[in-house]
Amino acid sequence: MRFLGLDIGAKTIGCAVTDPTGLISRPVRTLRRTGLRADLQDLERLAAELGAEGIVVGFPLHVSGQAGEAVERVRKIARKLSGRLGVPILGVDERYTSLEAAELDRQRSGKARRRGDDHALAAALILERYLREGEQVVLERW
């Protein structure tokens, strides 16, 4: 099963995808947010383009594990996306993935370094967490 992974922030949405077998993830791109309607259209188009059969969205929980306003924004998008796509959408704990992505980017050198695409890399890490830990990290589903 091919999954689309999303790292939804206030200004951008990092996107990643698994291979067709659903075993390996890779960053795809980072979308600039322009408004809910346009964001949903962009995500719908990307999901169709990549053949996504499921979506994994990261929940930006506080370090304490508590949900805040950012999680509510992600939930809102996930609910609306669920109604449009008709594929399973899973919310998983994304704590520390942005920090991990920034560190990985700093460690890369030369052409491999994709400066500024930490959000897509964070989305790939969110997907990897789900692929590695499965249902243990699923907090919500739509």
mmCIF file with all atom_site columns, all heavy atoms in Angstrom, residues 1-6 16-20 43-56 81 85-89 127:
data_model
loop_
_atom_site.group_PDB
_atom_site.id
_atom_site.type_symbol
_atom_site.label_atom_id
_atom_site.label_alt_id
_atom_site.label_comp_id
_atom_site.label_asym_id
_atom_site.label_entity_id
_atom_site.label_seq_id
_atom_site.pdbx_PDB_ins_code
_atom_site.Cartn_x
_atom_site.Cartn_y
_atom_site.Cartn_z
_atom_site.occupancy
_atom_site.B_iso_or_equiv
_atom_site.pdbx_formal_charge
_atom_site.auth_seq_id
_atom_site.auth_comp_id
_atom_site.auth_asym_id
_atom_site.auth_atom_id
_atom_site.pdbx_PDB_model_num
ATOM 1   N N   . MET A 1 1   ? 0.840   -1.177 0.000  1.00 0.00 ? 1   MET A N   1
ATOM 2   C CA  . MET A 1 1   ? 0.000   0.000  0.000  1.00 0.00 ? 1   MET A CA  1
ATOM 3   C C   . MET A 1 1   ? 0.884   1.239  0.000  1.00 0.00 ? 1   MET A C   1
ATOM 4   O O   . MET A 1 1   ? 1.795   1.355  0.813  1.00 0.00 ? 1   MET A O   1
ATOM 5   C CB  . MET A 1 1   ? -0.895  -0.033 1.244  1.00 0.00 ? 1   MET A CB  1
ATOM 6   C CG  . MET A 1 1   ? -1.822  1.126  1.367  1.00 0.00 ? 1   MET A CG  1
ATOM 7   S SD  . MET A 1 1   ? -2.975  0.841  2.751  1.00 0.00 ? 1   MET A SD  1
ATOM 8   C CE  . MET A 1 1   ? -4.236  1.966  2.312  1.00 0.00 ? 1   MET A CE  1
ATOM 9   N N   . ARG A 1 2   ? 0.623   2.165  -0.896 1.00 0.00 ? 2   ARG A N   1
ATOM 10  C CA  . ARG A 1 2   ? 1.411   3.396  -1.002 1.00 0.00 ? 2   ARG A CA  1
ATOM 11  C C   . ARG A 1 2   ? 0.777   4.489  -0.144 1.00 0.00 ? 2   ARG A C   1
ATOM 12  O O   . ARG A 1 2   ? -0.401  4.772  -0.257 1.00 0.00 ? 2   ARG A O   1
ATOM 13  C CB  . ARG A 1 2   ? 1.473   3.847  -2.453 1.00 0.00 ? 2   ARG A CB  1
ATOM 14  C CG  . ARG A 1 2   ? 2.226   5.161  -2.615 1.00 0.00 ? 2   ARG A CG  1
ATOM 15  C CD  . ARG A 1 2   ? 2.516   5.444  -4.039 1.00 0.00 ? 2   ARG A CD  1
ATOM 16  N NE  . ARG A 1 2   ? 3.900   5.006  -4.239 1.00 0.00 ? 2   ARG A NE  1
ATOM 17  C CZ  . ARG A 1 2   ? 4.498   5.015  -5.396 1.00 0.00 ? 2   ARG A CZ  1
ATOM 18  N NH1 . ARG A 1 2   ? 3.876   5.362  -6.474 1.00 0.00 ? 2   ARG A NH1 1
ATOM 19  N NH2 . ARG A 1 2   ? 5.751   4.624  -5.487 1.00 0.00 ? 2   ARG A NH2 1
ATOM 20  N N   . PHE A 1 3   ? 1.606   5.100  0.723  1.00 0.00 ? 3   PHE A N   1
ATOM 21  C CA  . PHE A 1 3   ? 1.158   6.159  1.613  1.00 0.00 ? 3   PHE A CA  1
ATOM 22  C C   . PHE A 1 3   ? 1.781   7.493  1.225  1.00 0.00 ? 3   PHE A C   1
ATOM 23  O O   . PHE A 1 3   ? 2.937   7.545  0.802  1.00 0.00 ? 3   PHE A O   1
ATOM 24  C CB  . PHE A 1 3   ? 1.566   5.872  3.061  1.00 0.00 ? 3   PHE A CB  1
ATOM 25  C CG  . PHE A 1 3   ? 0.787   4.788  3.720  1.00 0.00 ? 3   PHE A CG  1
ATOM 26  C CD1 . PHE A 1 3   ? 1.263   3.490  3.741  1.00 0.00 ? 3   PHE A CD1 1
ATOM 27  C CD2 . PHE A 1 3   ? -0.433  5.062  4.325  1.00 0.00 ? 3   PHE A CD2 1
ATOM 28  C CE1 . PHE A 1 3   ? 0.549   2.484  4.358  1.00 0.00 ? 3   PHE A CE1 1
ATOM 29  C CE2 . PHE A 1 3   ? -1.158  4.063  4.948  1.00 0.00 ? 3   PHE A CE2 1
ATOM 30  C CZ  . PHE A 1 3   ? -0.669  2.764  4.965  1.00 0.00 ? 3   PHE A CZ  1
ATOM 31  N N   . LEU A 1 4   ? 1.022   8.555  1.430  1.00 0.00 ? 4   LEU A N   1
ATOM 32  C CA  . LEU A 1 4   ? 1.498   9.917  1.333  1.00 0.00 ? 4   LEU A CA  1
ATOM 33  C C   . LEU A 1 4   ? 1.676   10.402 2.761  1.00 0.00 ? 4   LEU A C   1
ATOM 34  O O   . LEU A 1 4   ? 0.764   10.241 3.582  1.00 0.00 ? 4   LEU A O   1
ATOM 35  C CB  . LEU A 1 4   ? 0.473   10.790 0.592  1.00 0.00 ? 4   LEU A CB  1
ATOM 36  C CG  . LEU A 1 4   ? 0.743   12.286 0.508  1.00 0.00 ? 4   LEU A CG  1
ATOM 37  C CD1 . LEU A 1 4   ? 2.014   12.569 -0.289 1.00 0.00 ? 4   LEU A CD1 1
ATOM 38  C CD2 . LEU A 1 4   ? -0.454  12.991 -0.143 1.00 0.00 ? 4   LEU A CD2 1
ATOM 39  N N   . GLY A 1 5   ? 2.832   10.949 3.081  1.00 0.00 ? 5   GLY A N   1
ATOM 40  C CA  . GLY A 1 5   ? 3.095   11.479 4.417  1.00 0.00 ? 5   GLY A CA  1
ATOM 41  C C   . GLY A 1 5   ? 3.075   12.990 4.374  1.00 0.00 ? 5   GLY A C   1
ATOM 42  O O   . GLY A 1 5   ? 3.584   13.589 3.426  1.00 0.00 ? 5   GLY A O   1
ATOM 43  N N   . LEU A 1 6   ? 2.491   13.609 5.395  1.00 0.00 ? 6   LEU A N   1
ATOM 44  C CA  . LEU A 1 6   ? 2.369   15.064 5.436  1.00 0.00 ? 6   LEU A CA  1
ATOM 45  C C   . LEU A 1 6   ? 2.876   15.631 6.756  1.00 0.00 ? 6   LEU A C   1
ATOM 46  O O   . LEU A 1 6   ? 2.507   15.155 7.827  1.00 0.00 ? 6   LEU A O   1
ATOM 47  C CB  . LEU A 1 6   ? 0.902   15.477 5.251  1.00 0.00 ? 6   LEU A CB  1
ATOM 48  C CG  . LEU A 1 6   ? 0.207   15.009 3.987  1.00 0.00 ? 6   LEU A CG  1
ATOM 49  C CD1 . LEU A 1 6   ? -1.258  15.419 4.009  1.00 0.00 ? 6   LEU A CD1 1
ATOM 50  C CD2 . LEU A 1 6   ? 0.907   15.532 2.748  1.00 0.00 ? 6   LEU A CD2 1
ATOM 51  N N   . ALA A 1 16  ? 5.868   13.518 1.512  1.00 0.00 ? 16  ALA A N   1
ATOM 52  C CA  . ALA A 1 16  ? 6.720   12.364 1.246  1.00 0.00 ? 16  ALA A CA  1
ATOM 53  C C   . ALA A 1 16  ? 5.826   11.230 0.779  1.00 0.00 ? 16  ALA A C   1
ATOM 54  O O   . ALA A 1 16  ? 4.603   11.283 0.947  1.00 0.00 ? 16  ALA A O   1
ATOM 55  C CB  . ALA A 1 16  ? 7.482   11.967 2.507  1.00 0.00 ? 16  ALA A CB  1
ATOM 56  N N   . VAL A 1 17  ? 6.437   10.206 0.212  1.00 0.00 ? 17  VAL A N   1
ATOM 57  C CA  . VAL A 1 17  ? 5.664   9.068  -0.286 1.00 0.00 ? 17  VAL A CA  1
ATOM 58  C C   . VAL A 1 17  ? 6.443   7.786  -0.035 1.00 0.00 ? 17  VAL A C   1
ATOM 59  O O   . VAL A 1 17  ? 7.669   7.804  0.048  1.00 0.00 ? 17  VAL A O   1
ATOM 60  C CB  . VAL A 1 17  ? 5.345   9.245  -1.796 1.00 0.00 ? 17  VAL A CB  1
ATOM 61  C CG1 . VAL A 1 17  ? 6.591   9.120  -2.657 1.00 0.00 ? 17  VAL A CG1 1
ATOM 62  C CG2 . VAL A 1 17  ? 4.264   8.286  -2.261 1.00 0.00 ? 17  VAL A CG2 1
ATOM 63  N N   . THR A 1 18  ? 5.699   6.699  0.103  1.00 0.00 ? 18  THR A N   1
ATOM 64  C CA  . THR A 1 18  ? 6.351   5.392  0.204  1.00 0.00 ? 18  THR A CA  1
ATOM 65  C C   . THR A 1 18  ? 6.474   4.797  -1.184 1.00 0.00 ? 18  THR A C   1
ATOM 66  O O   . THR A 1 18  ? 5.815   5.236  -2.127 1.00 0.00 ? 18  THR A O   1
ATOM 67  C CB  . THR A 1 18  ? 5.543   4.413  1.090  1.00 0.00 ? 18  THR A CB  1
ATOM 68  O OG1 . THR A 1 18  ? 4.264   4.188  0.488  1.00 0.00 ? 18  THR A OG1 1
ATOM 69  C CG2 . THR A 1 18  ? 5.390   4.925  2.500  1.00 0.00 ? 18  THR A CG2 1
ATOM 70  N N   . ASP A 1 19  ? 7.306   3.781  -1.297 1.00 0.00 ? 19  ASP A N   1
ATOM 71  C CA  . ASP A 1 19  ? 7.371   3.018  -2.535 1.00 0.00 ? 19  ASP A CA  1
ATOM 72  C C   . ASP A 1 19  ? 6.060   2.235  -2.658 1.00 0.00 ? 19  ASP A C   1
ATOM 73  O O   . ASP A 1 19  ? 5.276   2.193  -1.711 1.00 0.00 ? 19  ASP A O   1
ATOM 74  C CB  . ASP A 1 19  ? 8.598   2.100  -2.529 1.00 0.00 ? 19  ASP A CB  1
ATOM 75  C CG  . ASP A 1 19  ? 8.493   0.996  -1.495 1.00 0.00 ? 19  ASP A CG  1
ATOM 76  O OD1 . ASP A 1 19  ? 8.015   1.259  -0.373 1.00 0.00 ? 19  ASP A OD1 1
ATOM 77  O OD2 . ASP A 1 19  ? 8.863   -0.133 -1.809 1.00 0.00 ? 19  ASP A OD2 1
ATOM 78  N N   . PRO A 1 20  ? 5.790   1.622  -3.815 1.00 0.00 ? 20  PRO A N   1
ATOM 79  C CA  . PRO A 1 20  ? 4.516   0.916  -3.992 1.00 0.00 ? 20  PRO A CA  1
ATOM 80  C C   . PRO A 1 20  ? 4.260   -0.201 -2.976 1.00 0.00 ? 20  PRO A C   1
ATOM 81  O O   . PRO A 1 20  ? 3.115   -0.526 -2.692 1.00 0.00 ? 20  PRO A O   1
ATOM 82  C CB  . PRO A 1 20  ? 4.616   0.345  -5.411 1.00 0.00 ? 20  PRO A CB  1
ATOM 83  C CG  . PRO A 1 20  ? 5.570   1.255  -6.112 1.00 0.00 ? 20  PRO A CG  1
ATOM 84  C CD  . PRO A 1 20  ? 6.562   1.673  -5.052 1.00 0.00 ? 20  PRO A CD  1
ATOM 85  N N   . LEU A 1 43  ? -3.172  19.073 -2.290 1.00 0.00 ? 43  LEU A N   1
ATOM 86  C CA  . LEU A 1 43  ? -2.968  17.758 -1.683 1.00 0.00 ? 43  LEU A CA  1
ATOM 87  C C   . LEU A 1 43  ? -3.764  16.679 -2.419 1.00 0.00 ? 43  LEU A C   1
ATOM 88  O O   . LEU A 1 43  ? -3.269  15.566 -2.609 1.00 0.00 ? 43  LEU A O   1
ATOM 89  C CB  . LEU A 1 43  ? -3.334  17.793 -0.204 1.00 0.00 ? 43  LEU A CB  1
ATOM 90  C CG  . LEU A 1 43  ? -2.396  18.622 0.672  1.00 0.00 ? 43  LEU A CG  1
ATOM 91  C CD1 . LEU A 1 43  ? -2.972  18.787 2.062  1.00 0.00 ? 43  LEU A CD1 1
ATOM 92  C CD2 . LEU A 1 43  ? -1.009  18.008 0.703  1.00 0.00 ? 43  LEU A CD2 1
ATOM 93  N N   . GLU A 1 44  ? -4.957  17.012 -2.849 1.00 0.00 ? 44  GLU A N   1
ATOM 94  C CA  . GLU A 1 44  ? -5.773  16.065 -3.607 1.00 0.00 ? 44  GLU A CA  1
ATOM 95  C C   . GLU A 1 44  ? -5.075  15.706 -4.926 1.00 0.00 ? 44  GLU A C   1
ATOM 96  O O   . GLU A 1 44  ? -4.982  14.540 -5.300 1.00 0.00 ? 44  GLU A O   1
ATOM 97  C CB  . GLU A 1 44  ? -7.145  16.690 -3.871 1.00 0.00 ? 44  GLU A CB  1
ATOM 98  C CG  . GLU A 1 44  ? -8.160  15.744 -4.422 1.00 0.00 ? 44  GLU A CG  1
ATOM 99  C CD  . GLU A 1 44  ? -9.542  16.377 -4.485 1.00 0.00 ? 44  GLU A CD  1
ATOM 100 O OE1 . GLU A 1 44  ? -9.693  17.608 -4.284 1.00 0.00 ? 44  GLU A OE1 1
ATOM 101 O OE2 . GLU A 1 44  ? -10.492 15.622 -4.731 1.00 0.00 ? 44  GLU A OE2 1
ATOM 102 N N   . ARG A 1 45  ? -4.555  16.710 -5.586 1.00 0.00 ? 45  ARG A N   1
ATOM 103 C CA  . ARG A 1 45  ? -3.841  16.507 -6.854 1.00 0.00 ? 45  ARG A CA  1
ATOM 104 C C   . ARG A 1 45  ? -2.584  15.653 -6.633 1.00 0.00 ? 45  ARG A C   1
ATOM 105 O O   . ARG A 1 45  ? -2.314  14.719 -7.385 1.00 0.00 ? 45  ARG A O   1
ATOM 106 C CB  . ARG A 1 45  ? -3.479  17.875 -7.442 1.00 0.00 ? 45  ARG A CB  1
ATOM 107 C CG  . ARG A 1 45  ? -3.208  17.900 -8.901 1.00 0.00 ? 45  ARG A CG  1
ATOM 108 C CD  . ARG A 1 45  ? -3.037  19.309 -9.495 1.00 0.00 ? 45  ARG A CD  1
ATOM 109 N NE  . ARG A 1 45  ? -2.947  20.425 -8.581 1.00 0.00 ? 45  ARG A NE  1
ATOM 110 C CZ  . ARG A 1 45  ? -3.946  21.302 -8.351 1.00 0.00 ? 45  ARG A CZ  1
ATOM 111 N NH1 . ARG A 1 45  ? -5.087  21.181 -8.962 1.00 0.00 ? 45  ARG A NH1 1
ATOM 112 N NH2 . ARG A 1 45  ? -3.766  22.298 -7.511 1.00 0.00 ? 45  ARG A NH2 1
ATOM 113 N N   . LEU A 1 46  ? -1.830  15.973 -5.585 1.00 0.00 ? 46  LEU A N   1
ATOM 114 C CA  . LEU A 1 46  ? -0.600  15.229 -5.295 1.00 0.00 ? 46  LEU A CA  1
ATOM 115 C C   . LEU A 1 46  ? -0.902  13.777 -4.941 1.00 0.00 ? 46  LEU A C   1
ATOM 116 O O   . LEU A 1 46  ? -0.214  12.862 -5.415 1.00 0.00 ? 46  LEU A O   1
ATOM 117 C CB  . LEU A 1 46  ? 0.171   15.907 -4.156 1.00 0.00 ? 46  LEU A CB  1
ATOM 118 C CG  . LEU A 1 46  ? 1.513   15.293 -3.790 1.00 0.00 ? 46  LEU A CG  1
ATOM 119 C CD1 . LEU A 1 46  ? 2.475   15.345 -4.974 1.00 0.00 ? 46  LEU A CD1 1
ATOM 120 C CD2 . LEU A 1 46  ? 2.114   16.009 -2.592 1.00 0.00 ? 46  LEU A CD2 1
ATOM 121 N N   . ALA A 1 47  ? -1.927  13.552 -4.133 1.00 0.00 ? 47  ALA A N   1
ATOM 122 C CA  . ALA A 1 47  ? -2.301  12.184 -3.750 1.00 0.00 ? 47  ALA A CA  1
ATOM 123 C C   . ALA A 1 47  ? -2.666  11.368 -4.990 1.00 0.00 ? 47  ALA A C   1
ATOM 124 O O   . ALA A 1 47  ? -2.262  10.206 -5.125 1.00 0.00 ? 47  ALA A O   1
ATOM 125 C CB  . ALA A 1 47  ? -3.464  12.203 -2.765 1.00 0.00 ? 47  ALA A CB  1
ATOM 126 N N   . ALA A 1 48  ? -3.394  11.977 -5.917 1.00 0.00 ? 48  ALA A N   1
ATOM 127 C CA  . ALA A 1 48  ? -3.770  11.284 -7.155 1.00 0.00 ? 48  ALA A CA  1
ATOM 128 C C   . ALA A 1 48  ? -2.540  11.026 -8.017 1.00 0.00 ? 48  ALA A C   1
ATOM 129 O O   . ALA A 1 48  ? -2.362  9.918  -8.545 1.00 0.00 ? 48  ALA A O   1
ATOM 130 C CB  . ALA A 1 48  ? -4.803  12.108 -7.922 1.00 0.00 ? 48  ALA A CB  1
ATOM 131 N N   . GLU A 1 49  ? -1.691  12.027 -8.142 1.00 0.00 ? 49  GLU A N   1
ATOM 132 C CA  . GLU A 1 49  ? -0.461  11.910 -8.952 1.00 0.00 ? 49  GLU A CA  1
ATOM 133 C C   . GLU A 1 49  ? 0.437   10.776 -8.450 1.00 0.00 ? 49  GLU A C   1
ATOM 134 O O   . GLU A 1 49  ? 1.019   10.031 -9.234 1.00 0.00 ? 49  GLU A O   1
ATOM 135 C CB  . GLU A 1 49  ? 0.281   13.243 -8.894 1.00 0.00 ? 49  GLU A CB  1
ATOM 136 C CG  . GLU A 1 49  ? 1.632   13.280 -9.552 1.00 0.00 ? 49  GLU A CG  1
ATOM 137 C CD  . GLU A 1 49  ? 2.333   14.610 -9.268 1.00 0.00 ? 49  GLU A CD  1
ATOM 138 O OE1 . GLU A 1 49  ? 1.677   15.672 -9.357 1.00 0.00 ? 49  GLU A OE1 1
ATOM 139 O OE2 . GLU A 1 49  ? 3.544   14.572 -8.952 1.00 0.00 ? 49  GLU A OE2 1
ATOM 140 N N   . LEU A 1 50  ? 0.527   10.637 -7.130 1.00 0.00 ? 50  LEU A N   1
ATOM 141 C CA  . LEU A 1 50  ? 1.410   9.633  -6.537 1.00 0.00 ? 50  LEU A CA  1
ATOM 142 C C   . LEU A 1 50  ? 0.727   8.286  -6.316 1.00 0.00 ? 50  LEU A C   1
ATOM 143 O O   . LEU A 1 50  ? 1.374   7.320  -5.935 1.00 0.00 ? 50  LEU A O   1
ATOM 144 C CB  . LEU A 1 50  ? 1.967   10.151 -5.210 1.00 0.00 ? 50  LEU A CB  1
ATOM 145 C CG  . LEU A 1 50  ? 2.852   11.399 -5.306 1.00 0.00 ? 50  LEU A CG  1
ATOM 146 C CD1 . LEU A 1 50  ? 3.183   11.927 -3.922 1.00 0.00 ? 50  LEU A CD1 1
ATOM 147 C CD2 . LEU A 1 50  ? 4.113   11.103 -6.101 1.00 0.00 ? 50  LEU A CD2 1
ATOM 148 N N   . GLY A 1 51  ? -0.573  8.220  -6.540 1.00 0.00 ? 51  GLY A N   1
ATOM 149 C CA  . GLY A 1 51  ? -1.307  6.969  -6.332 1.00 0.00 ? 51  GLY A CA  1
ATOM 150 C C   . GLY A 1 51  ? -1.410  6.579  -4.875 1.00 0.00 ? 51  GLY A C   1
ATOM 151 O O   . GLY A 1 51  ? -1.363  5.396  -4.532 1.00 0.00 ? 51  GLY A O   1
ATOM 152 N N   . ALA A 1 52  ? -1.591  7.577  -3.990 1.00 0.00 ? 52  ALA A N   1
ATOM 153 C CA  . ALA A 1 52  ? -1.664  7.312  -2.551 1.00 0.00 ? 52  ALA A CA  1
ATOM 154 C C   . ALA A 1 52  ? -2.944  6.555  -2.212 1.00 0.00 ? 52  ALA A C   1
ATOM 155 O O   . ALA A 1 52  ? -4.027  6.940  -2.613 1.00 0.00 ? 52  ALA A O   1
ATOM 156 C CB  . ALA A 1 52  ? -1.608  8.621  -1.770 1.00 0.00 ? 52  ALA A CB  1
ATOM 157 N N   . GLU A 1 53  ? -2.777  5.485  -1.458 1.00 0.00 ? 53  GLU A N   1
ATOM 158 C CA  . GLU A 1 53  ? -3.916  4.688  -0.995 1.00 0.00 ? 53  GLU A CA  1
ATOM 159 C C   . GLU A 1 53  ? -4.209  4.942  0.484  1.00 0.00 ? 53  GLU A C   1
ATOM 160 O O   . GLU A 1 53  ? -5.145  4.389  1.038  1.00 0.00 ? 53  GLU A O   1
ATOM 161 C CB  . GLU A 1 53  ? -3.618  3.209  -1.211 1.00 0.00 ? 53  GLU A CB  1
ATOM 162 C CG  . GLU A 1 53  ? -3.353  2.861  -2.670 1.00 0.00 ? 53  GLU A CG  1
ATOM 163 C CD  . GLU A 1 53  ? -2.753  1.486  -2.798 1.00 0.00 ? 53  GLU A CD  1
ATOM 164 O OE1 . GLU A 1 53  ? -3.524  0.511  -2.779 1.00 0.00 ? 53  GLU A OE1 1
ATOM 165 O OE2 . GLU A 1 53  ? -1.513  1.399  -2.909 1.00 0.00 ? 53  GLU A OE2 1
ATOM 166 N N   . GLY A 1 54  ? -3.379  5.760  1.107  1.00 0.00 ? 54  GLY A N   1
ATOM 167 C CA  . GLY A 1 54  ? -3.545  6.138  2.503  1.00 0.00 ? 54  GLY A CA  1
ATOM 168 C C   . GLY A 1 54  ? -2.663  7.347  2.780  1.00 0.00 ? 54  GLY A C   1
ATOM 169 O O   . GLY A 1 54  ? -1.705  7.601  2.050  1.00 0.00 ? 54  GLY A O   1
ATOM 170 N N   . ILE A 1 55  ? -3.018  8.098  3.815  1.00 0.00 ? 55  ILE A N   1
ATOM 171 C CA  . ILE A 1 55  ? -2.257  9.298  4.159  1.00 0.00 ? 55  ILE A CA  1
ATOM 172 C C   . ILE A 1 55  ? -1.909  9.246  5.641  1.00 0.00 ? 55  ILE A C   1
ATOM 173 O O   . ILE A 1 55  ? -2.741  8.890  6.476  1.00 0.00 ? 55  ILE A O   1
ATOM 174 C CB  . ILE A 1 55  ? -3.063  10.571 3.838  1.00 0.00 ? 55  ILE A CB  1
ATOM 175 C CG1 . ILE A 1 55  ? -3.309  10.627 2.316  1.00 0.00 ? 55  ILE A CG1 1
ATOM 176 C CG2 . ILE A 1 55  ? -2.344  11.824 4.326  1.00 0.00 ? 55  ILE A CG2 1
ATOM 177 C CD1 . ILE A 1 55  ? -4.102  11.805 1.841  1.00 0.00 ? 55  ILE A CD1 1
ATOM 178 N N   . VAL A 1 56  ? -0.669  9.594  5.941  1.00 0.00 ? 56  VAL A N   1
ATOM 179 C CA  . VAL A 1 56  ? -0.197  9.667  7.320  1.00 0.00 ? 56  VAL A CA  1
ATOM 180 C C   . VAL A 1 56  ? 0.161   11.125 7.586  1.00 0.00 ? 56  VAL A C   1
ATOM 181 O O   . VAL A 1 56  ? 1.026   11.687 6.919  1.00 0.00 ? 56  VAL A O   1
ATOM 182 C CB  . VAL A 1 56  ? 1.031   8.755  7.540  1.00 0.00 ? 56  VAL A CB  1
ATOM 183 C CG1 . VAL A 1 56  ? 1.566   8.912  8.957  1.00 0.00 ? 56  VAL A CG1 1
ATOM 184 C CG2 . VAL A 1 56  ? 0.691   7.301  7.247  1.00 0.00 ? 56  VAL A CG2 1
ATOM 185 N N   . LEU A 1 81  ? -9.715  16.616 4.208  1.00 0.00 ? 81  LEU A N   1
ATOM 186 C CA  . LEU A 1 81  ? -9.050  15.786 3.200  1.00 0.00 ? 81  LEU A CA  1
ATOM 187 C C   . LEU A 1 81  ? -9.694  14.410 3.135  1.00 0.00 ? 81  LEU A C   1
ATOM 188 O O   . LEU A 1 81  ? -9.893  13.848 2.054  1.00 0.00 ? 81  LEU A O   1
ATOM 189 C CB  . LEU A 1 81  ? -7.570  15.677 3.550  1.00 0.00 ? 81  LEU A CB  1
ATOM 190 C CG  . LEU A 1 81  ? -6.576  15.384 2.461  1.00 0.00 ? 81  LEU A CG  1
ATOM 191 C CD1 . LEU A 1 81  ? -6.726  16.338 1.291  1.00 0.00 ? 81  LEU A CD1 1
ATOM 192 C CD2 . LEU A 1 81  ? -5.163  15.440 3.012  1.00 0.00 ? 81  LEU A CD2 1
ATOM 193 N N   . LEU A 1 85  ? -10.962 12.628 -0.348 1.00 0.00 ? 85  LEU A N   1
ATOM 194 C CA  . LEU A 1 85  ? -10.146 11.585 -0.969 1.00 0.00 ? 85  LEU A CA  1
ATOM 195 C C   . LEU A 1 85  ? -10.707 10.173 -0.843 1.00 0.00 ? 85  LEU A C   1
ATOM 196 O O   . LEU A 1 85  ? -10.435 9.328  -1.684 1.00 0.00 ? 85  LEU A O   1
ATOM 197 C CB  . LEU A 1 85  ? -8.726  11.604 -0.394 1.00 0.00 ? 85  LEU A CB  1
ATOM 198 C CG  . LEU A 1 85  ? -7.913  12.857 -0.662 1.00 0.00 ? 85  LEU A CG  1
ATOM 199 C CD1 . LEU A 1 85  ? -6.543  12.732 -0.034 1.00 0.00 ? 85  LEU A CD1 1
ATOM 200 C CD2 . LEU A 1 85  ? -7.778  13.111 -2.152 1.00 0.00 ? 85  LEU A CD2 1
ATOM 201 N N   . GLY A 1 86  ? -11.395 9.893  0.241  1.00 0.00 ? 86  GLY A N   1
ATOM 202 C CA  . GLY A 1 86  ? -11.933 8.552  0.422  1.00 0.00 ? 86  GLY A CA  1
ATOM 203 C C   . GLY A 1 86  ? -10.875 7.488  0.664  1.00 0.00 ? 86  GLY A C   1
ATOM 204 O O   . GLY A 1 86  ? -11.062 6.327  0.317  1.00 0.00 ? 86  GLY A O   1
ATOM 205 N N   . VAL A 1 87  ? -9.730  7.885  1.229  1.00 0.00 ? 87  VAL A N   1
ATOM 206 C CA  . VAL A 1 87  ? -8.685  6.923  1.609  1.00 0.00 ? 87  VAL A CA  1
ATOM 207 C C   . VAL A 1 87  ? -8.457  7.058  3.107  1.00 0.00 ? 87  VAL A C   1
ATOM 208 O O   . VAL A 1 87  ? -8.763  8.101  3.692  1.00 0.00 ? 87  VAL A O   1
ATOM 209 C CB  . VAL A 1 87  ? -7.351  7.158  0.842  1.00 0.00 ? 87  VAL A CB  1
ATOM 210 C CG1 . VAL A 1 87  ? -7.560  7.024  -0.660 1.00 0.00 ? 87  VAL A CG1 1
ATOM 211 C CG2 . VAL A 1 87  ? -6.737  8.497  1.185  1.00 0.00 ? 87  VAL A CG2 1
ATOM 212 N N   . PRO A 1 88  ? -7.927  6.012  3.746  1.00 0.00 ? 88  PRO A N   1
ATOM 213 C CA  . PRO A 1 88  ? -7.657  6.127  5.189  1.00 0.00 ? 88  PRO A CA  1
ATOM 214 C C   . PRO A 1 88  ? -6.638  7.231  5.478  1.00 0.00 ? 88  PRO A C   1
ATOM 215 O O   . PRO A 1 88  ? -5.649  7.370  4.758  1.00 0.00 ? 88  PRO A O   1
ATOM 216 C CB  . PRO A 1 88  ? -7.075  4.766  5.562  1.00 0.00 ? 88  PRO A CB  1
ATOM 217 C CG  . PRO A 1 88  ? -7.244  3.885  4.395  1.00 0.00 ? 88  PRO A CG  1
ATOM 218 C CD  . PRO A 1 88  ? -7.542  4.726  3.208  1.00 0.00 ? 88  PRO A CD  1
ATOM 219 N N   . ILE A 1 89  ? -6.901  7.997  6.508  1.00 0.00 ? 89  ILE A N   1
ATOM 220 C CA  . ILE A 1 89  ? -5.965  9.027  6.956  1.00 0.00 ? 89  ILE A CA  1
ATOM 221 C C   . ILE A 1 89  ? -5.669  8.755  8.419  1.00 0.00 ? 89  ILE A C   1
ATOM 222 O O   . ILE A 1 89  ? -6.571  8.606  9.233  1.00 0.00 ? 89  ILE A O   1
ATOM 223 C CB  . ILE A 1 89  ? -6.543  10.438 6.764  1.00 0.00 ? 89  ILE A CB  1
ATOM 224 C CG1 . ILE A 1 89  ? -6.808  10.678 5.265  1.00 0.00 ? 89  ILE A CG1 1
ATOM 225 C CG2 . ILE A 1 89  ? -5.592  11.487 7.327  1.00 0.00 ? 89  ILE A CG2 1
ATOM 226 C CD1 . ILE A 1 89  ? -7.349  12.039 4.932  1.00 0.00 ? 89  ILE A CD1 1
ATOM 227 N N   . LEU A 1 127 ? 6.508   9.269  8.004  1.00 0.00 ? 127 LEU A N   1
ATOM 228 C CA  . LEU A 1 127 ? 6.132   8.015  7.343  1.00 0.00 ? 127 LEU A CA  1
ATOM 229 C C   . LEU A 1 127 ? 6.963   6.848  7.857  1.00 0.00 ? 127 LEU A C   1
ATOM 230 O O   . LEU A 1 127 ? 6.433   5.773  8.128  1.00 0.00 ? 127 LEU A O   1
ATOM 231 C CB  . LEU A 1 127 ? 6.337   8.127  5.831  1.00 0.00 ? 127 LEU A CB  1
ATOM 232 C CG  . LEU A 1 127 ? 5.172   8.578  4.989  1.00 0.00 ? 127 LEU A CG  1
ATOM 233 C CD1 . LEU A 1 127 ? 5.567   8.628  3.514  1.00 0.00 ? 127 LEU A CD1 1
ATOM 234 C CD2 . LEU A 1 127 ? 3.961   7.708  5.174  1.00 0.00 ? 127 LEU A CD2 1
#
